[in-house]
Amino acid sequence: MGSTELVGEELGTGVIRLEDCKVGDWVEVKSGRPEPWLGQISEVDRTKPQPIAVKWLGRCTGRKWPSNTPDGLWQFRGGSHFVEVQTLFEVSAKMFHWARRKNMPEGLPCKEENLFCFSSTCNKRCSTTTLQQRPPPKLAPAPLAPTALAVPAAVPAAASKISISNNSEMKKRKYGKGEIKSFDWEPNVTGDCRPGDVLVPFTYITDRVYSLDGNGEYVVERRCEGRCYCKRSLEALLTERLGEIQDLHAGANGNCPYQALQGGRILFRLHIFQDTVGKGYGIRTKERIPKGGLVCEYVGEVITQVEATKRERSYSQLGLFYLHDIHGKGRYTKDDSFTIDPTIYGNVARMLNHSCEPNVTTLEVTVARDNTVEEDDIDQIPRVPRAGFFASRDIQANEELCIDYSPGRHGDELQRVIQCFCGVSKCKGWLF
């Protein structure tokens, strides 16, 4: 980013500068959509390429809110993200105020003191006398649990079947200068932090979960490694996508990548590290991965694309971009359109950063099931293809692993929502 003395966009009132942004001010952030994202500045750090930390607001709507809830109410509904000054559309200390409406309904899912009103649409429905006597809101981080979504705040009821890695045992490792504490996430995956320590914390799982009835009751997909289909299908699919590749088993030290994908195993040692150029946490490989090598599966909650569209409306307000559509057809299912959502429950793949010249590509692989074993809920789970991430070229040890968040889109096809910091010569400038 250039000099901070003149950054931002021309507005009717001039240019928004970094000096205009103060902790506690309210902001509108460009989203690439008709409605901007709204939030409050929680931190200003001039040393970061994205110097403004915004704590996001969301509308007080959804099934948990009484039907007679007044319109125009907002609450904090997610973590905070660092954004570019250029993405700020407006900065104001008076954009929101404490909501004080008469005849507020009973049964609100939060305390009234945690509600805010958009000043431009208030129309004097709130008591200004009360507002002037209220202290400014506290900026403690809020838990990531958007109330409009059918997502439980705790581990699902089938948690006994979910593989969660919250191992607090620390190991010492050397990387660069000095020693850094490292945490185990799952076999062959370590990190400089725990999954709950990242900017948008999540519960780490290794098996996909399905919400069959939309009421928060989850079923965990049982894995089956099945037979090896590397020569029969996987190698041909990868060759068509990437060109000539070496024998998949030889490149994986004798392991079968197809069975590893179906069984949820990580074949190469990966490490979660914190980037220094504004991208946040990312994944670095600790050993060489040959072209066509399996990196990991994209694991999360499997939802229909109808549900994904609903969630995307809330997620976009929070700056969350984890949804991954499955384009292949599911077997034995009435609805062939599905999406992987790792926002609340996910695995290491959730930490992959973007690059305009990625070294990792996505390939959908038909899911294997052991039909000889009967299970009460197995027939209720759609057979949705697995989204596998594979090396698109030879990747050397200590390289960061990246995917393209907007594959095939360039220039005017991008919404210009979040600026890209990949640093490659052919950088598109924006993630979306």
Side-chain angles (χ1 to χ4, degrees), residues 209-351:
V209 295
Y210 291 73
S211 181
L212 302 179
D213 48 20
N215 65 359
E217 294 296 324
Y218 280 72
V219 174
V220 181
E221 182 181 44
R222 178 174 49 80
R223 288 186 177 273
C224 171
E225 291 196 359
R227 295 177 295 173
C228 173
Y229 279 86
C230 290
K231 288 292 185 182
R232 184 174 176 180
S233 63
L234 184 56
E235 192 168 302
L237 292 171
L238 288 170
T239 300
E240 181 180 357
R241 174 76 62 85
L242 306 174
E244 185 178 356
I245 60 174
Q246 72 176 104
D247 179 82
L248 292 178
H249 286 214
N253 299 316
N255 293 296
C256 173
Y258 178 85
Q259 292 180 322
L261 176 64
Q262 300 294 348
R265 291 184 284 118
I266 307 293
L267 299 180
F268 300 94
R269 291 180 293 123
L270 309 177
H271 188 81
I272 312 302
F273 73 104
Q274 187 160 21
D275 186 83
T276 59
V277 296
K279 295 190 293 184
Y281 285 97
I283 305 176
R284 178 181 281 122
T285 177
K286 300 174 72 174
E287 59 184 309
R288 180 182 178 275
I289 304 178
K291 184 169 73 170
L294 172 66
V295 176
C296 60
E297 179 188 359
Y298 202 67
V299 172
E301 182 185 355
V302 182
I303 58 177
T304 66
Q305 288 189 3
V306 174
E307 175 67 14
T309 299
K310 297 177 183 178
R311 294 188 181 188
E312 188 176 20
R313 297 191 189 106
S314 294
Y315 286 167
S316 63
Q317 295 180 14
L318 307 174
L320 306 178
F321 304 100
Y322 300 116
L323 297 178
H324 183 94
D325 291 338
I326 299 296
H327 301 285
K329 297 295 184 180
R331 296 175 60 189
Y332 313 121
T333 174
K334 296 179 181 179
D335 190 337
D336 288 329
S337 300
F338 293 92
T339 296
I340 305 296
D341 181 4
T343 306
I344 304 298
Y345 302 101
N347 74 333
V348 62
R350 188 184 188 268
M351 308 304 295

Side-chain angles (χ1 to χ4, degrees), residues 22 95 140 164 201 214 263 269 274 290 366 378 382 407 426 429:
K22 301 178 179 60
M95 187 183 303
I164 302 176
R269 291 180 293 123
Q274 187 160 21
T366 302
I378 192 66
K426 297 182 180 179

Side-chain angles (χ1 to χ4, degrees), residues 147-191:
T147 56
L149 308 180
V151 176
V155 179
S160 60
K161 300 180 184 178
I162 293 184
S163 302
I164 302 176
S165 177
N166 285 326
N167 192 342
S168 61
E169 181 182 356
M170 300 180 189
K171 292 185 177 181
K172 293 285 187 176
R173 72 178 183 92
K174 278 202 170 185
Y175 181 80
K177 297 181 179 180
E179 291 195 348
I180 304 175
K181 292 178 181 179
S182 178
F183 300 90
D184 289 326
W185 285 34
E186 67 169 296
N188 275 341
V189 180
T190 56

